[in-house]
Amino acid sequence: MLRRVPTRPRSPEKPRQPDGGRGNVLQRIKLCVVLTFPSHSSGYHVSANSTAAFRAPAASPHFPTLEEQVLAFWDQHSIYEQSLARRANAPTFVFYEGPPTANGMPHPGHCLTRAIKDVFPRYKTMRGYRCERKAGWDTHGLPVEVEVGKELGIHSKEEIEAYGVEPFIQKCQSSVWRYMQEWQTLTRRLGFWVNLEEAYVTYHQSYVESVWWSLKNLFDRGLLYQGHKIVWWWAQGGTALSAGEVGQGYREVADPSVYVLFPLVDQPERSLVVWTTTPWTLPSNMYAAVKPDLEYAVVKDSETGQELVLAAALVESLAGKLKRELTVIETISGESLVGQRYQPPFDDYHSRLNDPTGELVAGGEESLYWRVVAADFVTTDSGSGLVHLAPAFGEIDYEVLVTERTRFVDGQRPELLCAVGPNGKFTDEFASMKGVWVKEADKTLTRTLRESGRLLHLEQYLHDYPFCWRADDDPLIQYPRESWFIRTTKFRDLMLKNNSKIGWQPEHIRDGRFGNFLESNVDWALSRERYWGTPLPIWVCQSTGRMEAIESYEELLAKPGVDGTQVWDNAKAANPELPDDLRVHKPYIDSVTYDSPFESGARMQRVSEVIDCWYDSGAMPFAQWGWPHQNDAQFQEQFPADFISEAIDQTRGWFYSQLAISTMLFGEGASIREAGTKANELAPSRDSESDYPHPFRNCIVLGLMLSQWYESAGKEGQAKTVLLSEAEADQAEGKFTKKTGKMSKSLRNYRSPSEIFDKYGADAMRWYFFANQAPWNSIIYADQAIRDSIPEFLLRLWNTYSFFSIYAEIDGFDPTSATDVDEQLSPASLASAPTYRPISERSEIDRWIHSELHRTLATVINRMDAFDNYNACQAITNLLDGLSNWYVRRSRDRFWAPDSDSPDKHDAYWTLYEVMLELTKVIAPFVPFLADTLWQELTAPFGDKALKSVHLCDFPKPDATRVDQKLSDSMRLLREIASMGRSARADAKLKVRLPLSKVEVILTDDSAIDWLQSHDALVREELNVKAVDYTTDGGDYVQYTIVPNFKRLGPKVGKNIPVVKKMLGEADGNQLLTQLQTAGFVELELPSGPLKLDGEDIEVRLQAREGWAAAQGSGCVVVLNTEVTPELRREGLAKDLIRGIQSQRKELDCQYTDRIQVAIETSDAELQSAIEEHRTMICGETLADELVIGTLANAQQVAIEGGELYVAKVSGK
RNA sequence: GGGCGUGUAGCUCAGUUGGUUAGAGCGCGUCGCUGAUAACGACGAGGUCCCAGAUUCGAGUUCUGGCACGCCCA
């Protein structure tokens, strides 16, 4: 369709004050007819006949469409690859990608992490570093198995085995890529530049072998060992459940709560009162725990005469339960109980083991079992203050056993007593109840205890207890499983040391959450009894039980008598599609056996476990390269990382796994090993001190992502209605309340990222993430919030460009007159244009915006180098505000000036052009799409001379010589004066259209007066006044008050500050000021002696006196002369009239060049004379051919102040 | 129960080493501009800086103790 340019040419005969007519402008105007695409298909109007260097863009661009064009452009010209190639020999900035798992849909949280992961590498690349960005995928683990299980409709391990491990893991392998397409789309659309083609994948053979190498390294150093881990166990299903699964299955049940008597061996009349809610664990009792610093009481049971020991604080409550008196006969400390032996509640282990003793490491002997131990976790919140410990069935209990074991010499340590089998039933160890399911044994057990006189009290107890999420009726039990551990506790101090050197954002992570986590480090439980994971590379001699670790498939194949590889070969032959990577996975790897080096004739077979997939991710710094088996150069160069970022939930995940593995393998930690083990030959030895931190130097820890939505009150029984924007909620029926909280798939309380991209674009989302809050705060992902960043930033910037191009088109500004430009159009090279004058020769406002630009550059670089995107963005926003709301606004007249060849006009263009170019480079890492669009627009006149993309440019460098701090300060003052003036007008109800004769500006000192005076045209125009006076002598208008400069005087005067303040406040401010101005100081008589204060010690404040139309700021008071003379009033009336006529023009749909006729019907003499007096101005401004007092036929009539207005288009023109 | 974090305007958030008028954006109100125009600008109202104590001449900021919310771990 054809239509007129919306960015219309100026009306040719419209004179403008104060410099009169601009008829000559007419000749320069091209009335171009433009062709527009239907809306949203493009951001541009295509000029049919324009030969100008710049074209005016559409007023209101559709950013998503522009972004798609930029994406296509990046692809077409391989911009990302070029950006890397340009830095081929540059120093590195190393980025590690924390691998996401592609078998789940990407969600908004990933947009944030990926945006942050993008902005710093882009920034650093522009700053001259080579930043490779290797993508990665986390592919192993239970979530994958669960996903596949769902698909197959199977749950338990038995079902998986029945289905077949081989087809199962094949399905896992392909399932991993299920949402690949979505991930790729999101990554691309967001503008996250990352090398997806060469991504590392945790199931790939090279990756697995790197992990194997590291595990062998640890194994050989004695750091990998087998032990027990107490897990939540589903006895019926024969499997352990992850924390997440357990969390799903809690519900409230009643369990028995029993108080049992443990008679002391040395004082049989005295019994410990021990409390438990799981009677079935009592046969496996090993210890009773007390808190050493707690007070315990020995009480006499009035009924039985027995002496009972329990926490003093709980005597009363127990007496209440027993409904009888307990007389305290002695109080003792918990400490004194420690070591006391008792008779366990059931005799089976006791009689079979014969109450053994063991030799202590510290010398001497002690009973292995059934004695009181000290434990800090004992409380008096409930129970008796004495806790029954059955380490087989509780994690805390088990830790006590581990500690106990360290007290005894090797070979004489207490064993784990466990009378329950993996099926949840009692074993031979507790023969009397063999085969009974433990949860059904409680009744029988308590009866037995009652019969033996050991049961003091029984009651029911309501609490939350976990059940299997797959089988509701099956309660879980805590149960010990054999497991492989990494001795990370040995590296605790080194990990802390390493951690202390990491640049955490926010800092509190170091000593807070992460530091605390390291402090309480426990050995890493590495193994998983599952199927789809990195197989634990340990082979066991079937005869001797001795083991060795393998670091690669090749090493395995080279073993003597190797057998079993045909299982893989057959599978591959049967199905050539199978990825070779599967051969290092279950079940194929399990079938590979070889001759034992430990005993002739024996065979070596792999242990059955796979490993925790967190280990996979933590091995990424070297495993992504397949190191050490290959790519040594890449690894050495790309280690450690300069920057990583993930959300806070990775504290115990990727942050820890990386730090732990790196600390153990590299640097100082590499030499640590158990006595009698092999040295670590493979790991590169790095200098211990200088190499911390590794494997990452800086880490931004992102906050949680929340959503905000509108929810209907929802009547009972009805589903809640969820709406995502305020507008929708306003329109909908019923009452909606605003909610902020976690994103929930079932509630659908957030928009999918693709919707956001389509509606507002990736830049809007990115800028919102970067510029609205420090990244570690929780970030609200809401439609409205993201949309807001468009007018706040993107559109503002666009409008500034739009302004520039409109004028550039009209004036034919052509930057290619700079013939010696470099490819980045750097400021220095623009100077080759004949019309480009040195900045120092340009007007104040040009120098000012340059100064602001370079101040901003310094800030942005400073902040970004500190990984502080938030404040960097704040600085950019400020600059844009200055550019758009001051520079452009105040320079309009210069762009509009009739002489298109005047140096001042050239200055204006070159200044705006240069600032736009530099600003475009600055925003490139943050909003890469808009930046590239602008870059291409701004550089279009240069064609191939300029770089194709802004992302190939260098980040601008601040030039200190262009920063004029004084000018920046003065301009701030000037803007404040203008603002004060407007405020005073508003207060006095004197609208800006009414000219005033004068304003007086009273300042505290005269330092800025000269400068201000030379710029008073600016103020005059802003405030529509005829004159501005500057003075420090406020006279009648102002009350001066003097306050101490606290920061300076505080340390000097100390306690006397209030006195000084009071004296200064009570003295006559005007007089003090005079004294200060004449003598250079003021003197106060303090009680402690005289005190001389100079100008620096005190601060002069101004207070406008009552009765003046005045407004005050921090350093100035602006007073209006409110006298309105008849002349001024008439000028005001004329301006009002112009405003009225212009509105009517708009009403009439006038083009800017349309001529009109105007008539005013009024009996107001003043208005009539105003019209006569300002006729020329009125007609000029409004393009009126005719202006009469009277009426006009066929014209709209509207009421104006003092009469009626008629406006009609002049036809035929 | 433990650890960590957060609490500042109606909303979303800034606030550097303690310094005396606590800021921004949005929203709201008033006004302006009408040659950046389905834009834009100005001005304004709006605060017990969660509470209580302590340190200090001075606390949104430091310390102690609460309260509320969130996350992680038990």
Side-chain angles (χ1 to χ4, degrees):
Chain A
M1 76 182 166
L2 288 171
R3 72 167 198 210
R4 286 196 176 264
V5 188
T7 53
R8 66 276 299 169
R10 300 162 183 149
S11 112
E13 292 164 23
K14 199 164 165 200
R16 196 177 156 88
Q17 292 216 332
D19 47 354
R22 287 167 169 143
N24 57 344
V25 172
L26 177 60
Q27 284 74 49
R28 296 187 286 111
I29 304 247
K30 299 175 201 82
L31 275 172
C32 33
V33 174
V34 299
L35 184 67
T36 60
F37 289 104
S39 66
H40 291 186
S41 68
S42 161
Y44 295 96
H45 301 275
V46 177
S47 273
N49 65 344
S50 176
T51 53
F54 293 98
R55 288 173 292 131
S60 168
H62 188 246
F63 290 113
T65 309
L66 291 179
E67 291 178 1
E68 291 289 357
Q69 290 167 359
V70 171
L71 281 172
F73 172 82
W74 287 349
D75 285 347
Q76 192 189 339
H77 298 280
S78 306
I79 301 297
Y80 170 51
E81 291 73 14
Q82 281 195 56
S83 79
L84 285 174
R86 288 174 65 85
R87 304 294 186 216
N89 300 310
T92 56
F93 176 79
V94 180
F95 163 76
Y96 287 167
E97 159 76 334
T101 154
N103 92 313
M105 273 288 273
H107 63 79
H110 295 115
C111 295
L112 172 63
T113 48
R114 289 174 113 59
I116 287 280
K117 285 173 180 184
D118 183 61
V119 70
F120 289 99
R122 280 183 187 269
Y123 166 74
K124 287 291 180 177
T125 300
M126 291 181 75
R127 290 276 290 156
Y129 294 89
R130 176 161 54 88
C131 180
E132 288 181 22
R133 284 151 265 182
K134 191 178 174 75
W137 301 105
D138 184 18
T139 56
H140 282 146
L142 194 62
V144 183
E145 294 192 24
V146 167
E147 190 75 20
V148 170
K150 271 187 204 160
E151 193 183 308
L152 297 171
I154 59 176
H155 298 303
S156 68
K157 285 173 72 178
E158 279 81 359
E159 286 171 307
I160 293 172
E161 306 263 0
Y163 176 79
V165 175
E166 183 172 358
F168 184 75
I169 65 118
Q170 288 175 7
K171 278 206 176 305
C172 287
Q173 185 272 329
S174 52
S175 156
V176 157
W177 304 111
R178 174 167 312 164
Y179 298 104
M180 199 54 186
Q181 187 56 48
E182 281 81 357
W183 276 95
Q184 279 173 344
T185 305
L186 176 122
T187 302
R188 171 185 145 89
R189 188 60 189 81
L190 185 68
F192 179 29
W193 272 358
V194 66
N195 186 346
L196 289 168
E197 277 79 49
E198 291 170 279
Y200 65 90
V201 177
T202 58
Y203 77 70
H204 281 177
Q205 181 174 337
S206 65
Y207 198 100
V208 166
E209 287 177 325
S210 285
V211 172
W212 281 2
W213 162 77
S214 68
L215 290 170
K216 177 181 183 167
N217 183 310
L218 297 176
F219 180 84
D220 289 349
R221 289 155 64 197
L223 300 169
L224 204 56
Y225 69 94
Q226 271 181 299
H228 284 99
K229 182 177 161 68
I230 310 300
V231 296
W232 278 109
W233 182 251
W234 178 31
Q236 287 80 358
T239 186
L241 270 66
S242 70
E245 292 176 298
V246 174
Q248 289 172 33
Y250 275 91
R251 58 175 202 255
E252 195 173 62
V253 290
D255 269 324
S257 162
V258 295
Y259 293 78
V260 185
L261 300 178
F262 288 10
L264 293 175
V265 169
D266 298 329
Q267 293 166 278
E269 74 288 354
R270 190 173 277 193
S271 293
L272 306 173
V273 177
V274 174
W275 178 70
T276 180
T277 57
T278 48
W280 61 268
T281 63
L282 284 168
S284 308
N285 170 270
M286 293 182 70
Y287 305 104
V290 297
K291 188 168 182 162
D293 54 5
L294 204 63
E295 192 179 56
Y296 287 81
V298 181
V299 300
K300 192 149 198 133
D301 184 335
S302 58
E303 196 171 287
T304 63
Q306 282 178 303
E307 290 177 15
L308 311 177
V309 181
L310 70 157
L314 291 163
V315 171
E316 207 173 311
S317 92
L318 184 64
K321 289 180 201 287
L322 296 174
K323 298 195 178 67
R324 60 189 190 241
E325 210 152 297
L326 300 174
T327 319
V328 177
I329 52 178
E330 196 184 337
T331 51
I332 52 178
S333 70
E335 184 73 54
S336 70
L337 285 165
V338 173
Q340 297 252 3
R341 296 162 62 219
Y342 62 81
Q343 296 168 28
F346 294 96
D347 202 42
D348 299 59
Y349 277 114
H350 189 256
S351 54
R352 188 162 58 251
L353 298 173
N354 204 18
D355 200 1
T357 56
E359 195 182 326
L360 293 165
V361 174
E365 293 217 336
E366 188 158 25
S367 289
L368 291 180
Y369 314 105
W370 307 302
R371 55 181 159 74
V372 177
V373 297
D376 278 336
F377 57 78
V378 176
T379 67
T380 54
D381 293 344
S382 56
S384 62
L386 282 126
V387 176
H388 146 67
L389 296 182
F393 310 114
E395 215 171 326
I396 309 177
D397 307 39
Y398 187 76
E399 278 168 29
V400 172
L401 174 63
V402 169
T403 313
E404 282 296 320
R405 286 171 60 85
T406 60
R407 298 177 57 226
F408 292 87
V409 300
D410 198 11
Q412 301 197 32
R413 292 173 177 153
E415 295 295 324
L416 179 67
L417 304 187
C418 179
V420 178
N423 58 1
K425 295 172 180 173
F426 283 107
T427 62
D428 283 332
E429 309 270 285
F430 193 59
S432 61
M433 295 191 72
K434 184 183 173 187
V436 178
W437 160 235
V438 293
K439 281 284 177 178
E440 281 164 3
D442 285 346
K443 267 204 179 120
T444 316
L445 288 167
T446 47
R447 196 183 317 123
T448 313
L449 287 170
R450 180 171 286 134
E451 283 161 5
S452 63
R454 292 293 190 83
L455 184 70
L456 180 65
H457 183 67
L458 164 72
E459 61 188 16
Q460 290 295 306
Y461 173 84
L462 272 180
H463 65 150
D464 288 322
Y465 195 85
F467 286 73
C468 180
W469 62 281
R470 301 157 179 165
D472 281 351
D473 292 335
D474 295 347
L476 303 176
I477 59 172
Q478 297 226 297
Y479 195 76
R481 295 297 291 172
E482 281 265 301
S483 191
W484 287 86
F485 291 86
I486 303 175
R487 215 176 289 284
T488 51
T489 45
K490 215 178 172 80
F491 296 85
R492 184 175 151 276
D493 292 343
L494 291 186
M495 289 194 283
L496 283 165
K497 189 169 168 187
N498 196 349
N499 171 45
S500 71
K501 302 282 166 73
I502 296 171
W504 289 103
Q505 294 291 338
E507 276 184 40
H508 61 71
I509 298 288
R510 174 173 44 242
D511 299 318
R513 194 173 280 211
F514 195 66
N516 287 340
F517 176 63
L518 293 178
E519 293 274 1
S520 57
N521 185 259
V522 293
D523 283 347
W524 187 339
L526 179 72
S527 57
R528 296 287 182 271
E529 297 177 85
R530 300 298 312 187
Y531 307 97
W532 178 240
T534 300
L536 188 62
I538 293 173
W539 269 254
V540 192
C541 171
Q542 297 303 294
S543 173
T544 62
R546 293 179 65 183
M547 310 189 199
E548 66 179 9
I550 300 288
E551 70 166 71
S552 69
Y553 199 64
E554 198 181 342
E555 182 188 358
L556 185 61
L557 296 185
K559 288 288 181 185
V562 69
D563 185 34
T565 52
Q566 65 276 15
V567 176
W568 163 254
D569 295 337
N570 295 341
K572 179 80 180 177
N575 181 4
E577 302 283 295
L578 283 184
D580 286 343
D581 300 301
L582 285 184
R583 66 184 164 193
V584 294
H585 283 82
K586 270 168 121 29
Y588 310 111
I589 195 73
D590 292 348
S591 61
V592 182
T593 60
Y594 60 88
D595 290 340
S596 170
F598 305 110
E599 189 175 295
S600 91
R603 297 289 290 172
M604 297 295 282
Q605 176 153 27
R606 198 186 74 84
V607 299
S608 67
E609 291 96 338
V610 298
I611 65 164
D612 181 4
C613 58
W614 283 116
Y615 191 96
D616 288 350
S617 69
M620 162 271 167
F622 52 91
Q624 66 172 335
W625 302 110
W627 189 87
H629 307 115
Q630 52 182 312
N631 295 326
D632 186 58
Q634 275 96 329
F635 168 67
Q636 299 296 349
E637 183 197 83
Q638 297 281 311
F639 181 94
D642 289 295
F643 168 66
I644 66 168
S645 176
E646 295 292 337
I648 182 117
D649 57 358
Q650 295 298 331
T651 308
R652 287 145 200 264
W654 195 49
F655 299 155
Y656 173 68
S657 64
Q658 277 192 98
L659 183 93
I661 292 172
S662 198
T663 306
M664 292 188 291
L665 292 177
F666 304 125
E668 210 175 348
S671 57
I672 290 180
R673 62 183 207 263
E674 293 291 279
T677 59
K678 280 193 274 179
N680 165 18
E681 290 156 9
L682 268 167
S685 179
R686 307 174 77 91
D687 291 341
S688 56
E689 292 298 328
S690 59
D691 278 318
Y692 287 122
H694 61 87
F696 54 90
R697 295 193 169 114
N698 296 287
C699 177
I700 297 181
V701 183
L702 300 168
L704 271 158
M705 185 165 274
L706 303 175
S707 189
Q708 200 163 67
W709 69 99
Y710 298 83
E711 198 174 283
S712 70
K715 285 171 192 163
E716 252 178 76
Q718 284 183 343
K720 287 178 199 164
T721 309
V722 169
L723 296 174
L724 298 177
S725 74
E726 199 175 355
E728 291 168 33
D730 284 348
Q731 284 170 12
E733 274 188 36
K735 199 181 168 188
F736 281 79
T737 44
K738 189 176 184 180
K739 301 271 236 176
T740 302
K742 279 198 258 193
M743 285 185 278
S744 144
K745 266 185 192 163
S746 60
L747 209 52
R748 290 174 54 88
N749 59 351
Y750 59 90
R751 283 204 201 285
S752 84
S754 63
E755 252 184 283
I756 297 289
F757 294 143
D758 291 347
K759 282 174 80 172
Y760 312 121
D763 280 341
M765 188 195 268
R766 291 174 63 115
W767 187 256
Y768 169 68
F769 287 155
F770 298 146
N772 270 63
Q773 60 274 300
W776 47 84
N777 283 326
S778 51
I779 292 182
I780 293 176
Y781 174 89
D783 191 77
Q784 182 67 41
I786 295 167
R787 179 169 52 197
D788 282 348
S789 60
I790 295 175
E792 278 168 24
F793 184 75
L794 303 179
L795 202 51
R796 222 179 193 184
L797 181 57
W798 182 267
N799 284 336
T800 308
Y801 165 69
S802 166
F803 175 92
F804 166 80
S805 59
I806 288 168
Y807 282 83
E809 179 177 20
I810 290 166
D811 274 329
F813 169 70
D814 187 356
T816 57
S817 61
T819 46
D820 290 344
V821 286
D822 58 30
E823 57 181 8
Q824 307 197 21
L825 305 192
S826 63
S829 73
L830 293 176
S832 61
T835 51
Y836 185 103
R837 296 200 298 172
I839 311 294
S840 57
E841 289 172 21
R842 299 188 197 173
S843 70
E844 203 84 54
I845 197 153
D846 291 342
R847 299 212 313 274
W848 173 75
I849 193 66
H850 272 109
S851 174
E852 292 299 300
L853 170 67
H854 287 273
R855 269 161 27 104
T856 304
L857 290 177
T859 307
V860 171
I861 288 169
N862 171 287
R863 290 296 79 212
M864 285 301 280
D865 285 350
F867 298 95
D868 175 6
N869 52 279
Y870 174 75
N871 284 298
C873 288
Q874 294 288 303
I876 294 171
T877 304
N878 279 336
L879 175 65
L880 179 60
D881 179 70
L883 184 65
S884 158
N885 291 341
W886 194 249
Y887 181 78
V888 167
R889 201 155 65 83
R890 291 315 332 147
S891 302
R892 272 179 174 160
D893 269 355
R894 302 167 64 205
F895 287 101
W896 175 226
D899 182 0
S900 64
D901 253 343
S902 76
D904 185 57
K905 180 169 249 190
H906 288 306
D907 288 349
Y909 275 116
W910 281 115
T911 300
L912 184 53
Y913 185 62
E914 181 176 327
V915 172
M916 287 291 305
L917 279 173
E918 299 296 277
L919 180 56
T920 298
K921 293 174 191 169
V922 171
I923 64 168
F926 303 92
V927 285
F929 298 99
L930 178 58
D932 230 9
T933 303
L934 288 177
W935 175 258
Q936 284 159 30
E937 287 300 306
L938 289 167
T939 61
F942 289 97
D944 287 343
K945 259 185 165 173
L947 286 169
K948 273 198 161 53
S949 166
V950 71
H951 303 292
L952 305 176
C953 293
D954 295 337
F955 205 77
K957 288 191 177 58
D959 178 350
T961 64
R962 293 215 169 163
V963 175
D964 183 341
Q965 190 58 47
K966 208 172 159 217
L967 177 58
S968 286
D969 292 344
S970 304
M971 193 64 90
R972 195 177 305 121
L973 180 59
L974 191 143
R975 291 180 76 177
E976 190 183 357
I977 289 167
S979 170
M980 289 304 107
R982 281 187 293 263
S983 172
R985 267 184 178 273
D987 279 350
K989 302 214 183 311
L990 296 166
K991 50 186 167 183
V992 181
R993 220 177 287 124
L994 177 67
L996 293 175
S997 58
K998 189 169 90 167
V999 297
E1000 285 201 63
V1001 178
I1002 297 107
L1003 299 156
T1004 52
D1005 63 76
D1006 58 7
S1007 57
I1009 288 186
D1010 283 349
W1011 186 87
L1012 288 168
Q1013 263 164 354
S1014 62
H1015 296 80
D1016 77 334
L1018 237 163
V1019 179
R1020 284 205 314 267
E1021 198 178 330
E1022 278 290 303
L1023 296 180
N1024 190 19
V1025 295
K1026 304 294 179 196
V1028 192
D1029 278 357
Y1030 296 94
T1031 175
T1032 53
D1033 179 11
D1036 300 336
Y1037 307 125
V1038 167
Q1039 169 75 55
Y1040 291 97
T1041 23
I1042 314 287
V1043 289
N1045 177 349
F1046 289 94
K1047 199 160 185 170
R1048 196 174 144 99
L1049 278 186
K1052 243 195 261 184
V1053 187
K1055 291 198 186 213
N1056 282 324
I1057 275 237
V1059 184
V1060 174
K1061 184 185 180 184
K1062 196 163 169 235
M1063 290 180 79
L1064 287 171
E1066 283 169 357
D1068 181 336
N1070 296 34
Q1071 212 175 335
L1072 278 181
L1073 189 61
T1074 316
Q1075 196 187 336
L1076 181 69
Q1077 279 163 352
T1078 50
F1081 64 89
V1082 291
E1083 194 158 322
L1084 295 180
E1085 278 303 324
L1086 296 185
S1088 55
L1091 177 69
K1092 254 192 196 178
L1093 301 174
D1094 62 21
E1096 293 272 292
D1097 291 330
I1098 56 180
E1099 208 173 293
V1100 181
R1101 295 224 175 123
L1102 307 172
Q1103 176 84 47
R1105 290 195 199 223
E1106 291 290 315
W1108 299 100
Q1112 80 180 78
S1114 49
C1116 65
V1117 166
V1118 176
V1119 185
L1120 299 180
N1121 183 340
T1122 59
E1123 187 198 356
V1124 180
T1125 62
E1127 289 83 35
L1128 292 173
R1129 194 195 315 281
R1130 287 198 295 274
E1131 189 181 334
L1133 284 172
K1135 287 192 167 171
D1136 277 338
L1137 186 58
I1138 290 171
R1139 156 105 175 89
I1141 298 169
Q1142 296 286 30
S1143 305
Q1144 276 309 105
R1145 282 184 63 100
K1146 205 170 175 185
E1147 281 291 304
L1148 293 173
D1149 251 352
C1150 287
Q1151 292 301 323
Y1152 276 79
T1153 49
D1154 289 341
R1155 313 294 306 186
I1156 54 168
Q1157 294 176 289
V1158 180
I1160 293 117
E1161 187 178 25
T1162 179
S1163 53
D1164 187 332
E1166 195 174 27
L1167 181 56
Q1168 290 183 3
S1169 50
I1171 290 169
E1172 288 317 316
E1173 194 174 329
H1174 299 286
R1175 170 175 291 278
T1176 319
M1177 175 177 80
I1178 297 167
C1179 291
E1181 290 275 340
T1182 62
L1183 302 194
D1185 286 351
E1186 205 179 310
L1187 173 62
V1188 296
I1189 307 293
T1191 64
L1192 206 59
N1194 305 326
Q1196 282 275 334
Q1197 174 196 354
V1198 284
I1200 55 165
E1201 216 181 318
E1204 303 289 335
L1205 169 67
Y1206 303 82
V1207 177
K1209 218 190 278 193
V1210 176
S1211 54
K1213 291 211 177 182

